[in-house]
Amino acid sequence: MSDPSSENELNPESGETAPELSPDVPPELTAPASEAGEPDETSVALDASGNPDGDVPASDVTGLDVSTSADGTDDVKSTPEVEPLTTDQVPASGEQPTPEKKKKSKKSSGADADSTGASGQTKRKRSLRLQIGLLYTLLAVINIVFFSAMILENQSDLLVSSFKYQSDNIIKTLLDDLENLSITREKDDDFSALRFSLTSENVLYFIIFDRDGNIWHSWPEEGDVAPTEVDEALMKKAVSLANEESLIQSRYDKELNEDDFTIKLMVPLRSADGVELYLHTALSIRTIQDRLQYIYYQIGLAILWGVLFHVLFAIFVFQMIFRRVAILKDASQKMAEGELATRAQWKEKKSDDELDDLGHAFNFMAGSIQDKVETISQLNAEIQKELKIGKEVQELFLTDTDMFSDYNLNLFYKPLREVSGDVYKFYQFDDGQRGLFFADASGHGVSAALITTITILSLDDVLEETREPGEVLTRLNTLLAERLDTSFFATGVFLLFDRNNSVQMSNAGHNPVILLKRGDKRVFEVKKMGPPLGLMEDFEYESRKIPTAAGDKYLIYSDGLVETPDRAGEQYTLQRAVKLFRRSYQSSNKDIVTQIGDDFTDFAYHYKDDVTFMVLEIP
């Protein structure tokens, strides 16, 4: 979007033809002077002939008139490499971002939120110890219950079979004892023999009654254990036994209760006077009951032993496995926290199992890591010491800005590491001319610093022979191409200032130099005039003379300034830097550098390259 104040630019409605623009320059090129409180002026990009479109005379074009002559004399042509730079596309502070930026920012924020949500929630760890403990407990309970049930069922079957067998034996014995007894209403010897025979078999009670339901005898006589009357059910059984007398000589009725192992027995008797009598009794087989109680005791003891065994086994497993695993875990955590001397130690007598092998392997690994880290730390210390020396040596090449004190030169210098791939140097010549060289080597760190060192040393040799910027970069390029591999190169710009404040410049693949005109506050960028130094051995660089006036300001910078990203990954951009540069033109160069530096520092999230920029003003 073009600024509304730039309506006076060349356009078809005014009868002028719009200028032909270079591919990398947007159509909205002019940063209106009205933003700075000054009247708006028209700025254009110039074509190769010095005219906006080849038809309009150069004298009608509001722009920079520069000379391309080798002898340094002024020429009426304008330089195509000097073009106005827009700042309209850079949002000012407080402006709302465009919908596209909003959408992108929102998307980035959402991704960050999702990432934070995914990683921010503390995921509960599933304890292997707890899982094995629960599984083992469950299996132990199932195992104990299963075998206890199997034992109880098997013993119960045996007890029932034994109960039936003993019941038949007891009944047979009683029948034999009762066969020769004659019962009367008196408690005579036969009755005593009957009672003895029954009580010896653990009888609970007995009654003797006739067909009319009259009870002749009962035992025990006290209490309510024995029935006091004959109910209908007993009478039916008695009648049934009487009816079977003609069919079966030996007859009786028994009822076995397998729940409490009792026998209810009814046997026909004969009285002394021939009256039909019936004996009804209930017996308890005590041995079966005692055996059942003993089985319950054994099952309880087995359950207790099973629980105790599993507890002891769990303690054993914990001591033999999980305790040593915990020691390994604690040792690993301590090593992760930097305690490299930590070792996994435990004392297990006669132990030489897989966990011991794992512990030995861990200790061996820990010792190896400690040795390597100590070696690396020692090497790093030596490297840091050497880098510190390299930094001090490199700083010897970075001349003090006092040489350009009358230009109010101020700079921002932030190496990515101890040594930098950005380098600058100022020159003071005997005839009053001064030179400024600014270069950015490929990469960063030691390799880039070595390239800059070679570049500065080679430049010093070249300046012994010539000062003309184009020729200086041409010879410097040849020397670097001969000395460096093609994978190593550097971009650079050389400016020559004479006593009349005229500026000659040549740019070897470096970022455009920004020129802020004092009179109309227009911003221009001086494009590069060839490839980086060291890539093409036979390339000849041009030199451009930039007509300047007192108060004009230059911004020279490395790509670290414009390419450093913020948290969302957006780069700082040249437009943002130029926006601040243009807005603060009335401030001192020191304040301009401070404002841009502070804004850049607040913006930057992750540094990827060395960052250097400088501002100077034509006196």
Side-chain angles (χ1 to χ4, degrees):
M1 179 184 296
S2 61
D3 195 289
S5 60
S6 58
E7 295 177 354
N8 294 329
E9 287 188 48
L10 297 178
N11 55 70
E13 296 180 359
S14 61
E16 298 172 321
T17 304
E20 180 181 352
L21 307 179
S22 59
D24 56 346
V25 179
E28 303 85 359
L29 291 172
T30 304
S34 58
E35 290 184 5
E38 296 293 333
D40 186 23
E41 296 289 345
T42 302
S43 300
V44 296
L46 306 180
D47 64 7
S49 65
N51 295 335
D53 56 6
D55 298 326
V56 182
S59 58
D60 295 338
V61 178
T62 304
L64 288 180
D65 294 330
V66 295
S67 174
T68 58
S69 60
D71 57 2
T73 59
D74 292 343
D75 193 0
V76 296
K77 294 183 179 179
S78 298
T79 307
E81 285 76 10
V82 182
E83 301 185 9
L85 173 71
T86 179
T87 57
D88 294 349
Q89 296 176 332
V90 183
S93 59
E95 291 182 5
Q96 297 295 326
T98 62
E100 291 78 4
K101 290 186 177 180
K102 281 185 178 180
K103 184 176 181 181
K104 188 172 184 179
S105 176
K106 183 176 181 181
K107 184 177 181 182
S108 300
S109 301
D112 293 341
D114 293 341
S115 176
T116 303
S119 61
Q121 294 179 355
T122 303
K123 191 174 182 180
R124 297 182 63 183
K125 295 182 179 179
R126 301 175 60 185
S127 172
L128 179 62
R129 184 183 310 175
L130 179 60
Q131 294 181 64
I132 293 179
L134 292 175
L135 179 61
Y136 182 74
T137 302
L138 178 62
L139 293 177
V141 170
I142 295 175
N143 183 40
I144 292 173
V145 171
F146 174 76
F147 282 103
S148 298
M150 291 292 293
I151 292 173
L152 180 60
E153 183 179 358
N154 181 55
Q155 291 297 317
S156 298
D157 292 340
L158 292 176
L159 287 176
V160 170
S161 299
S162 177
F163 171 61
K164 293 178 179 179
Y165 176 75
Q166 290 188 39
S167 298
D168 293 338
N169 289 336
I170 290 173
I171 293 172
K172 182 178 181 181
T173 301
L174 287 175
L175 291 176
D176 291 341
D177 293 341
L178 296 175
E179 184 176 359
N180 298 319
L181 295 179
S182 179
I183 304 301
T184 65
R185 289 183 179 272
E186 302 296 331
K187 295 181 180 179
D188 52 14
D189 294 338
D190 287 346
F191 174 77
S192 297
L194 173 64
R195 183 177 61 185
F196 176 77
S197 178
L198 291 174
T199 55
S200 64
E201 297 294 344
N202 297 322
V203 67
L204 298 175
Y205 67 87
F206 70 85
I207 61 173
I208 299 175
F209 62 93
D210 57 20
R211 288 181 68 101
D212 296 328
N214 299 317
I215 297 177
W216 286 26
H217 298 285
S218 67
W219 185 91
E221 297 177 356
E222 298 178 355
D224 56 355
V225 177
T228 57
E229 61 180 13
V230 179
D231 58 18
E232 184 178 355
L234 288 178
M235 290 302 299
K236 287 182 177 181
K237 289 182 179 180
V239 172
S240 177
L241 286 174
N243 294 334
E244 293 176 359
E245 184 176 1
S246 60
L247 299 176
I248 304 175
Q249 188 67 28
S250 296
R251 61 195 183 280
Y252 60 86
D253 181 78
K254 69 177 179 180
E255 181 180 340
L256 302 180
N257 190 339
E258 297 178 359
D259 293 332
D260 55 3
F261 299 104
T262 59
I263 307 171
K264 288 184 178 181
L265 177 65
M266 182 175 289
V267 180
L269 297 175
R270 288 288 180 179
S271 68
D273 54 1
V275 178
E276 293 184 3
L277 299 177
Y278 300 95
L279 171 67
H280 172 67
T281 183
L283 302 91
S284 175
I285 303 180
R286 187 178 300 277
T287 56
I288 300 296
Q289 291 180 335
D290 293 341
R291 181 62 180 170
L292 181 61
Q293 294 297 326
Y294 184 68
I295 289 175
Y296 288 150
Y297 170 76
Q298 285 184 321
I299 291 176
L301 189 63
I303 292 175
L304 179 62
W305 166 246
V307 172
L308 180 62
F309 171 79
H310 285 91
V311 170
L312 293 175
F313 183 74
I315 295 174
F316 171 78
V317 170
F318 175 78
Q319 290 290 332
M320 293 298 294
I321 299 178
F322 289 110
R323 185 179 65 84
R324 289 185 282 176
V325 170
I327 292 174
L328 286 171
K329 174 188 174 184
D330 294 339
S332 300
Q333 289 179 341
K334 289 182 179 179
M335 285 200 66
E337 294 170 357
E339 300 181 23
L340 300 182
T342 302
R343 298 294 183 271
Q345 297 179 350
W346 58 74
K347 295 181 180 179
E348 299 292 341
K349 296 181 180 180
K350 299 180 181 180
S351 175
D352 190 16
D353 53 23
E354 289 82 354
L355 282 178
D356 289 320
D357 294 340
L358 180 61
H360 296 323
F362 174 84
N363 291 336
F364 178 79
M365 176 194 69
S368 178
I369 291 175
Q370 183 180 12
D371 293 340
K372 287 180 171 57
V373 169
E374 289 176 352
T375 302
I376 293 173
S377 298
Q378 182 179 358
L379 292 175
N380 282 338
E382 295 176 358
I383 292 173
Q384 290 298 322
K385 183 178 179 180
E386 294 175 357
L387 287 175
K388 184 178 180 181
I389 296 174
K391 179 181 179 181
E392 295 174 352
V393 171
Q394 188 180 42
E395 289 176 350
L396 296 176
F397 292 95
L398 304 178
T399 52
D400 192 81
T401 58
D402 291 343
M403 188 180 298
F404 275 76
S405 60
D406 53 337
Y407 284 78
N408 295 321
L409 191 150
N410 281 267
L411 59 88
F412 179 95
Y413 182 65
K414 186 177 182 61
L416 181 64
R417 298 172 184 167
E418 284 78 2
V419 291
S420 173
D422 292 351
V423 68
Y424 56 87
K425 190 171 183 180
F426 311 126
Y427 295 91
Q428 176 76 53
F429 301 111
D430 295 337
D431 58 359
Q433 288 186 323
R434 277 174 282 192
L436 186 155
F437 180 71
F438 188 100
D440 182 2
S442 59
H444 41 263
V446 176
S447 61
L450 292 175
I451 296 175
T452 58
T453 301
I454 295 174
T455 301
I456 291 297
L457 293 176
S458 300
L459 177 63
D460 291 342
D461 294 338
V462 170
L463 290 177
E464 294 290 334
E465 303 175 1
T466 182
R467 302 177 198 168
E468 197 273 328
E471 183 64 23
V472 168
L473 294 187
T474 298
R475 296 191 182 188
L476 179 60
N477 173 67
T478 301
L479 291 176
L480 294 180
E482 294 174 351
R483 298 175 181 177
L484 299 178
D485 187 84
T486 55
S487 60
F488 299 102
F489 58 89
T491 64
V493 58
F494 184 76
L495 291 83
L496 182 65
F497 302 86
D498 61 21
R499 288 171 296 181
N500 297 324
N501 293 331
S502 177
V503 180
Q504 295 186 63
M505 183 187 309
S506 186
N507 186 331
H510 196 70
N511 301 304
V513 175
I514 305 303
L515 171 61
L516 174 62
K517 300 294 292 181
R518 177 185 179 185
D520 49 22
K521 308 306 178 292
R522 287 181 298 169
V523 176
F524 296 86
E525 58 181 358
V526 182
K527 298 285 188 178
K528 50 190 171 186
M529 304 167 187
L533 300 168
L535 286 182
M536 299 176 62
E537 183 175 353
D538 298 327
F539 191 84
E540 294 185 2
Y541 295 89
E542 297 181 75
S543 179
R544 293 290 182 263
K545 184 175 181 181
I546 313 300
T548 56
D552 292 351
K553 295 186 178 183
Y554 284 90
L555 172 63
I556 307 172
Y557 59 93
S558 65
D559 53 9
L561 172 66
V562 297
E563 295 178 358
T564 297
D566 62 2
R567 185 179 296 272
E570 299 289 340
Q571 294 184 350
Y572 187 74
T573 71
L574 175 60
Q575 284 78 9
R576 181 166 180 154
V578 171
K579 190 79 171 181
L580 290 173
F581 181 44
R582 191 170 187 271
R583 283 187 170 183
S584 56
Y585 75 96
Q586 292 180 334
S587 303
S588 65
N589 291 351
K590 181 178 180 181
D591 290 341
I592 294 175
V593 170
T594 300
Q595 292 179 34
I596 298 177
D598 291 345
D599 182 69
F600 170 79
T601 303
D602 294 338
F603 174 90
Y605 174 71
H606 176 61
Y607 292 96
K608 294 184 177 180
D609 200 356
D610 309 302
V611 180
T612 308
F613 67 89
M614 63 178 65
V615 176
L616 58 90
E617 180 179 354
I618 303 298

